[in-house]
């Protein structure tokens, strides 16, 4: 395969989920969607009685997703039992074009044929960790664009439990299937079975697709939060969201007003036993000084993951900061663009695009590397699901462990940091073998 500079530039420009805020979230009837903080047990009824529509009641009633006319925030806040009301926002992903002539014969025919290209699993000792645990008996929810329900390496998807939670769903017939590509790639990193091409961190876990994106347009925070709440409702051991607002936000940002409700929903899920893994963001941003933050990951209930390279360095695009980053995991590319492209670096560096993360890809989309059903992309979007899969391995071995104990096991097994205070890596870069072996000593 010949990968030229044009392809490199195109690939770098499309790191992970290239998200943009496209504006205020609209309801299906053309109104505006609001994230509402509730203080009273009957807030849902009083808000509805005041003439507003309640789409979701989350976090045991402390957060509502409400639709109504434009500029109605003050009116909603005047309702009894309501503390805050802020307009929701919409996040939109860039999407590749479908391949009208997908080549079925390009799929590998037998075995996990592409594991030699899975440097991320090799760096984190995932394959030998499978001698101890594979995620059997666990469940991981993927809050994203959905999952390709027909992919041969994703036969562990539970379509029946899957959900489409979309404010203005333009493809309701798709259900929890993938309306784009991102969720399928993330799901494979967590739990691809290796039936054909690649192996995930937890190949025997049950994958739950929770689609929050339509095929055209963006996901709202309200639906992302509803997806997290649903994951906890069905007893998911982990819920991964590789999604977030672009750029490093400052305390005066309008979206800062949504933080309390996001934390409330996440805390509720954690109390119910669901660990939430989130990507740190792809803006090379400092989240350590000046009160910088991103959402929804910059809340304490989220386990936030930065991205590393095949050389165990912080990837050039990854956000960093001790205030946010809890752990690091492979996301692809090196610490500089020049090393990533091969202009500088070490003799044993992986060439672009092989220094990105290989995972499952919708079989009806073109693969940029000619491996139909598989593709290489990079981003903190690819780092977070490495940790969600590892959480499934921990829960298989310690099914009664609470979320704090799961997080602690993963952090104690990590490498490359002294304590938990590295601005780049948090507690370190995950190591699956270290983690599971620490749980099996004495068995």
């Amino acid at each position: 395969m010949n990968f030229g500079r044009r392809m490199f530039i195109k690939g770098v420009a499309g790191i992970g989920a290239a998200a943009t805020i496209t504006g205020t979230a609209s309801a299906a009837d053309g109104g505006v969607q609001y994230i509402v903080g509730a203080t009273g047990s009957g807030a849902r009824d009083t808000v509805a009685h005041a003439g507003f529509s309640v789409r979701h009641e989350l976090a045991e009633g402390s957060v509502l997703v409400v639709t109504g006319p434009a500029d109605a925030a003050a009116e909603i806040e005047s309702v009894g039992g309501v503390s805050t009301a802020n307009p929701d926002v919409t996040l939109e992903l860039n999407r590749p074009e479908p391949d009208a002539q997908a080549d079925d014969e390009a799929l590998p025919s037998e075995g996990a044929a592409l594991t030699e290209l899975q440097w991320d699993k090799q760096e984190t000792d995932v394959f030998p960790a499978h001698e101890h645990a594979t995620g059997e008996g666990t469940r991981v929810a993927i809050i994203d664009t959905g999952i390709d329900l027909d992919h041969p390496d994703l036969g562990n998807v539970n379509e029946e439990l899957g959900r489409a939670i979309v404010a203005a769903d333009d493809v309701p017939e798709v259900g929890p299937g993938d309306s784009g590509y991102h969720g399928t790639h993330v799901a494979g990193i967590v739990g691809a079975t290796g039936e054909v091409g690649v192996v995930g961190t937890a190949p025997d876990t049950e994958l739950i697709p929770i689609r929050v994106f339509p095929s055209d347009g963006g996901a709202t925070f309200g639906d992302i939060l509803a997806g997290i709440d649903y994951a906890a409702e069905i007893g998911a051991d982990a819920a991964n969201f590789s999604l977030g607002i672009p750029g490093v936000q400052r305390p005066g940002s309008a979206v800062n007003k949504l933080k309390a409700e996001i934390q409330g929903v996440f805390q509720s899920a954690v109390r119910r036993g669901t660990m939430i893994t989130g990507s740190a963001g792809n803006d090379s941003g400092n989240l350590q000084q000046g009160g910088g933050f991103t959402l929804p990951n910059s809340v304490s209930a989220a386990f936030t993951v930065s991205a590393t390279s095949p050389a165990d360095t912080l990837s050039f695009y990854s956000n960093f900061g001790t205030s946010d980053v809890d752990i690091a995991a492979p996301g692809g590319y090196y610490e500089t663009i020049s090393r990533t492209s091969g202009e500088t670096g070490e003799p044993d560096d992986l060439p672009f695009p092989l220094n990105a993360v290989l995972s499952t890809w919708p079989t009806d989309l073109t693969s940029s590397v000619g491996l139909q059903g598989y593709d290489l992309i990079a981003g903190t979007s690819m780092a977070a699901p490495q940790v969600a899969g590892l959480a499934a391995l921990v829960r298989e071995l310690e099914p009664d462990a609470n979320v704090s104990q799961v997080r602690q096991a993963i952090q104690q097994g990590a490498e490359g940091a002294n304590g938990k205070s590295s601005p780049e890596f948090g507690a370190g870069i995950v190591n699956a073998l270290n983690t599971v072996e620490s749980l099996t000593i004495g068995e």
Side-chain angles (χ1 to χ4, degrees):
M1 291 179 280
N2 181 27
F3 306 114
R5 180 167 178 78
R6 178 180 298 179
M7 182 177 177
F8 169 75
I9 293 172
K10 179 181 178 182
V12 168
I15 290 171
T20 54
I21 295 178
T22 55
T24 301
S26 297
D29 62 2
V32 170
Q33 184 160 289
Y34 298 88
I35 305 295
V36 174
T39 58
S41 59
R44 178 185 185 125
D45 292 339
T46 56
V47 169
H49 185 71
F52 300 96
S53 177
V54 180
R55 288 193 63 228
H56 304 300
E57 184 178 23
L58 311 175
E60 299 149 293
S62 64
V63 177
L64 306 176
V65 179
V66 173
T67 62
D71 301 319
E75 185 179 352
I76 298 172
E77 286 184 347
S78 70
V79 175
V82 170
S83 58
T84 60
N86 292 287
D88 196 358
V89 297
T90 299
L91 304 176
E92 191 163 347
L93 301 179
N94 295 332
R95 303 179 187 278
E97 293 298 321
D99 181 9
Q101 296 178 332
D103 183 3
D104 293 337
E105 295 181 0
L107 286 170
S109 59
E110 60 183 13
L114 303 175
T115 53
E116 289 187 3
L117 298 177
Q118 292 187 268
W119 63 266
D120 55 316
K121 306 305 185 191
Q122 296 166 24
E123 287 288 322
T124 55
D125 290 332
V126 163
F127 298 144
H130 289 163
E131 296 179 12
H132 302 278
T134 56
E136 185 175 357
T138 66
R139 175 177 290 169
V140 178
I142 310 296
I143 293 92
D144 215 296
T145 63
I147 301 177
D148 183 352
L149 303 176
D150 298 317
H151 197 288
D153 278 344
L154 297 174
N156 51 346
V157 171
N158 187 327
E159 182 179 357
E160 184 176 346
L161 278 181
R163 290 290 184 274
I165 304 174
V166 184
D169 195 356
D170 59 347
V171 283
E173 69 278 4
V174 170
D178 204 333
S179 62
Y181 69 93
H182 194 261
T184 295
H185 200 272
V186 167
I189 294 169
V190 173
T193 63
E195 182 69 22
V196 175
V198 296
V199 178
T201 300
D204 286 333
T205 196
E206 181 183 44
L207 296 170
I208 309 299
I210 301 177
R211 180 170 67 85
V212 295
F213 281 88
S215 68
D216 182 21
T220 69
F221 268 138
D223 290 343
I224 293 170
L225 297 180
I228 294 285
D229 196 76
Y230 175 70
E233 179 185 326
I234 62 173
D237 295 281
N240 186 84
F241 69 93
S242 288
L243 307 165
I245 57 176
V248 175
Q249 306 297 310
R250 296 298 167 189
S253 169
V255 294
N256 190 40
K257 297 177 180 179
L258 302 177
K259 247 184 174 180
E261 283 66 48
I262 292 171
Q263 173 71 354
V265 172
F266 282 20
Q267 282 181 326
S268 171
V270 167
R271 282 196 300 269
R272 288 179 277 170
T274 298
M275 176 172 154
I276 303 171
T277 51
S279 50
N282 302 328
D283 301 292
S284 308
N286 186 340
L287 303 176
Q288 195 164 358
Q289 277 92 31
F293 70 94
T294 61
L295 289 177
N297 63 282
S298 284
V299 294
S300 60
F303 200 45
T304 300
V305 189
S306 63
T308 60
S309 77
D312 289 341
T313 56
L314 187 74
S315 302
F316 68 83
Y317 52 81
S318 181
N319 290 345
F320 59 92
T322 56
S323 59
D324 269 45
V325 173
D326 297 296
I327 202 79
Y333 297 166
Y334 290 98
E335 70 276 9
T336 63
I337 291 178
S338 60
R339 186 175 182 183
T340 300
S341 65
E343 296 171 7
T344 62
E346 302 300 322
D348 60 349
D349 282 351
L350 293 175
F352 175 85
L354 300 180
N355 46 36
V357 175
L358 180 70
S359 186
T360 46
W361 192 251
T363 52
D364 63 343
L365 294 182
T366 301
S367 166
S368 68
V369 293
L371 296 169
Q372 208 63 40
Y374 305 91
D375 214 335
L376 289 136
I377 56 177
T380 55
S381 287
M382 285 60 255
Q386 313 270 7
V387 182
L390 184 51
L393 301 190
V394 173
R395 270 283 173 79
E396 177 188 346
L397 296 172
E398 298 286 347
D400 296 327
N402 62 34
V403 170
S404 177
Q405 291 167 329
V406 174
R407 290 172 61 149
Q408 184 176 31
I410 292 171
Q411 289 179 315
Q412 288 179 340
E415 300 177 322
N418 183 16
K420 299 181 180 180
S421 59
S422 166
E424 295 183 338
F425 306 139
I429 303 170
V430 295
N431 184 284
L433 184 60
N434 287 351
T435 301
V436 299
E437 282 188 335
S438 71
L439 300 174
T440 56
I441 293 173
E443 287 189 351

